[in-house]
Structure formats: C-alpha cells, structure tokens
Amino acid sequence: MKIIGCDFHPSFQQIAVFETETGEITEHKLVNGNGEAERFYRSLPVGSLIGIEACGNSHWFIDLLGQLGHQVWVGDAAKIRASYVRKQKTDRRDAAHILTLLLENRFPKLWTPSRQERDQRQLLIHRHKLVQIRTRIKNSLQHLALNQGVQKKQKLWSKEGQKLLIQLPLQGWTAVRRQDCRELLAQLDERIAKLDKAAEQAAEAHPQASLLMQQKGVGPITSLAFALTLGDVSRFPHSNQVARYLGLIPSEHTSSNKRRLGSITKQGNSFLRMLLVESAQSVTRCDPQFRKHYLHLCRNKHKAVAKVAAARKLAVRLYWVLRTDQNSQNAVHIESSPRVPLVGAS
C-alpha cells in the first residue's frame, strides 16, 4: 500500500509518496494535461490512500481516483496551512506536509458530497447565475426607462409597464439595447422556469429536502440547497455547529476579561447563507411565531443584523427538522431547549 500527499494544481501536481512496506519516501511532479498523472495513479496498487487539500477544479481528479479504487481524503485547506509552522512555502513542502499529517493521523478530513449531490448542486448554482444575469438585464431596462422620466419600479414588468417600455421614443443604439435586453430577458425567463421546475422535482424526490419544505416560507431551492450542503446531519451533534459551519456565528477576539464580538465569520457556504437570509424574510411573513421573534430582534438591533439573526434561527430550525425527522411545529419546541457545550463538528 502507498500513502500519498498531493499538492494539486490545475496543470500539475506535486506529490510525496510513502511506501508502507519499505518506509521509503519519494517525490514526483506530475503533469495533468498529457496524461502523466493518470498513468501514475493507474499503476498504483488498488486501495492506496491519497490526501489532497480542498480546492477548485479537482472534481475530475477525485472521480478518477475513485474509479481506480483508491481512497481519497479531502482536507480542510485552512487547517492544513495552520498546522504548518515554517514560513517557507513551496509545492514540495506542501506535499510533504500533507503526507506527514496522513502518517501521523492528524489529517483534517472533510465530508465530501457524492457525485450525484455535486450534480444537483450545479443545478442550483446554474439557476442562481442565470437569475443574477436576469437581474442585471432588468436593471439595464430600468435605467433606460428612468432616463426617459418613467419611474415604474416593479410595475415596469407588468403588461402595462412592458407596453410603455416599448413605446418609449428611443433611437439609434439605445433602441437596439432595449430590443436586445427584452429578447434576452424573455429567453432567461424561459430557461429559469425550466430550472425552477427541475429543482422542484429534485427537492420532492430528495427525502430530506421534501421534509424541509413542510416549514412555511421555505421553498424547493432553499430546502434542496440546505440538504445538499449539510449532507448527513448526524455529523453535527448540536445546532451551534451548524451555525458555525454556515458562517452564521459572530467573529470573536477574547482575551483576559475583555470579550469582543464582531460581524459574522462568513466561513461557510455563501450561497446557502444568502438563501437562508432570503427565506427567513419569507418565513417571517408566513409563520406568526417566527415573525414575533424577528420583530423583537428589530427593536434591539439594526434591521440587517436582525435578518442575519433570523437566518441563523431558520438554519437551526431546519437542522432540528432533519435531526428529529418531524415536522417544523415540533422542531420549534426542540430548538428552544437548553444548549449543550459546543463540541467540534466532525
């Protein structure tokens, strides 16, 4: 068996290889593009252990190792770097350090989603990107209308507003811009509608996401994103760890008797965090008890802070829905129970 510490880059990878039978350590630099890396891993005995930092553009590599029957451990890049005390950083040192963590059983292994879960995440991200593009196009049309003295705001997208937009006396390239934006907007509306339907079907077919949709104000997008991001909720013994995992806890700098709390850490999935903030406002309108809590926050805190606090409360409620496998009404009572001491999430 071989144990490998891999410093992965899109074009190449630097590896440190430990041979368990002889205790020998060798170093190699493998090029990804010409097939050298693939040939090397195909030559390894099945069941070899490869450690790699969490990074982008590496899905093909992780899938390849899985198909070849190797064990792939993806590590927390921040923790790996924090455990390295020397100030010299090179690719060879990084690969050797990852190998050292593997051999000393100190490698900060992360939970990794399955290939199907990654694919469903792409559905949500693709929809989100198209919605962002649609928003920019709508802002462009609003800009054209405002330059002509038309202030319709949201009413610009009604039938009467669109009719008024077409009748604006625009000439030259300004008229071309209006025409192109309207055509793109129609195309995006059609594509996003298809993605909405696909996301709804995926959420209904997903057992955890369908359970989360029982909460009033939580739709298929948020429920599916929450289920795909958290994965197996048993990884989190308590809801505090879910809030920390999503970056919804305050940053802290405490020393001696002085405790300083700052803004939220944002050390988590920014996409899900954004969805939770949006959904919390919908839940506030649909759920009287949640609205009461939100209004209480608004009296003592800035409205933006209250929205983030409501998003954290919603994340805790959804977590307990999954943990107890009950409806959201039962989870309301559970989430208010006394908290246990914070323990590091696995």
Side-chain angles (χ1 to χ4, degrees):
M1 177 181 176
K2 293 186 178 181
I3 302 176
I4 300 174
C6 176
D7 183 35
F8 181 85
H9 298 266
S11 58
F12 72 95
Q13 52 185 279
Q14 181 71 37
I15 62 173
V17 184
F18 175 76
E19 179 60 59
T20 56
E21 296 180 358
T22 62
E24 180 184 5
I25 296 179
T26 57
E27 297 180 345
H28 306 278
K29 182 177 181 179
L30 306 175
V31 179
N32 297 327
N34 60 6
E36 180 183 7
E38 182 176 351
R39 290 192 295 271
F40 172 81
Y41 289 104
R42 287 188 180 276
S43 65
L44 295 178
V46 176
S48 298
L49 175 61
I50 297 96
I52 179 177
E53 287 183 348
C55 60
N57 305 318
S58 60
H59 288 169
W60 69 269
F61 178 58
I62 296 175
D63 291 340
L64 173 64
L65 296 179
Q67 294 172 2
L68 296 177
H70 302 314
Q71 303 179 61
V72 187
W73 287 9
V74 180
D76 188 331
K79 290 183 178 179
I80 290 175
R81 184 57 190 167
S83 62
Y84 189 62
V85 296
R86 300 194 60 156
K87 293 187 177 181
Q88 293 89 357
K89 182 187 183 304
T90 64
D91 295 337
R92 293 180 60 189
R93 289 182 182 274
D94 289 345
H97 180 57
I98 293 175
L99 177 60
T100 301
L101 295 178
L102 289 171
L103 295 177
E104 296 178 355
N105 198 25
R106 295 189 296 120
F107 187 78
K109 183 180 178 182
L110 294 174
W111 171 81
T112 54
S114 65
R115 192 168 187 174
Q116 181 181 3
E117 290 172 330
R118 291 205 317 261
D119 186 62
Q120 289 182 329
R121 286 185 180 186
Q122 291 301 315
L123 166 63
L124 300 178
I125 293 174
H126 179 47
R127 178 195 174 276
H128 176 61
K129 295 297 183 182
L130 291 186
V131 170
Q132 287 182 321
I133 296 173
R134 182 175 65 179
T135 301
R136 294 179 63 181
I137 292 176
K138 284 187 173 182
N139 289 340
S140 297
L141 292 173
Q142 285 281 9
H143 171 72
L144 294 177
L146 289 173
N147 275 337
Q148 297 298 318
V150 177
Q151 300 182 18
K152 286 289 187 178
K153 296 184 179 180
Q154 291 297 327
K155 293 182 180 180
L156 184 63
W157 314 121
S158 64
K159 293 182 179 180
E160 294 182 358
Q162 287 295 294
K163 184 178 180 180
L164 180 61
L165 180 63
I166 297 174
Q167 294 175 350
L168 291 178
L170 304 180
Q171 298 178 356
W173 287 108
T174 308
V176 173
R177 181 184 180 186
R178 174 182 58 185
Q179 179 64 23
D180 290 346
C181 286
R182 292 189 70 251
E183 292 178 358
L184 289 173
L185 184 60
Q187 295 176 8
L188 286 171
D189 285 338
E190 182 180 357
R191 292 179 181 270
I192 292 173
K194 293 180 180 179
L195 295 176
D196 286 339
K197 186 176 181 180
E200 183 177 358
Q201 293 175 349
E204 291 175 352
H206 197 288
Q208 292 181 325
S210 60
L211 187 64
L212 294 177
M213 283 193 292
Q214 296 179 11
Q215 166 64 50
K216 295 180 180 180
V218 176
I221 302 297
T222 302
S223 60
L224 184 60
F226 193 87
L228 293 176
T229 302
L230 260 64
D232 184 7
V233 293
S234 62
R235 300 188 297 129
F236 305 96
H238 198 264
S239 58
N240 278 338
Q241 297 163 345
V242 175
R244 184 176 65 183
Y245 184 74
L246 299 176
L248 289 171
I249 61 172
S251 56
E252 182 176 2
H253 184 78
T254 299
S255 180
S256 186
N257 295 327
K258 295 183 179 179
R259 187 185 186 194
R260 298 181 179 88
L261 298 178
S263 59
I264 60 174
T265 63
K266 297 185 180 180
Q267 291 181 312
N269 191 303
S270 59
F271 176 57
L272 179 56
R273 193 163 53 247
M274 179 269 298
L275 291 176
L276 286 172
V277 173
E278 291 183 351
S279 295
Q281 300 173 64
S282 299
V283 176
T284 300
R285 294 190 295 267
C286 301
D287 191 324
Q289 185 174 357
F290 201 93
R291 177 177 177 80
K292 181 179 179 181
H293 173 75
Y294 174 72
L295 293 178
H296 176 73
L297 290 172
C298 289
R299 284 195 293 267
N300 301 321
K301 299 181 181 297
H302 190 276
K303 191 172 183 180
V305 178
K307 289 181 180 179
V308 176
R312 183 191 185 280
K313 182 178 179 64
L314 177 60
V316 170
R317 177 176 293 190
L318 297 180
Y319 161 76
W320 279 113
V321 169
L322 296 180
R323 277 295 301 270
T324 59
D325 197 17
Q326 297 174 356
N327 57 35
S328 57
Q329 282 71 24
N330 292 337
V332 173
H333 172 72
I334 296 173
E335 71 179 2
S336 61
S337 60
R339 295 182 176 180
V340 298
L342 182 62
V343 183
S346 57

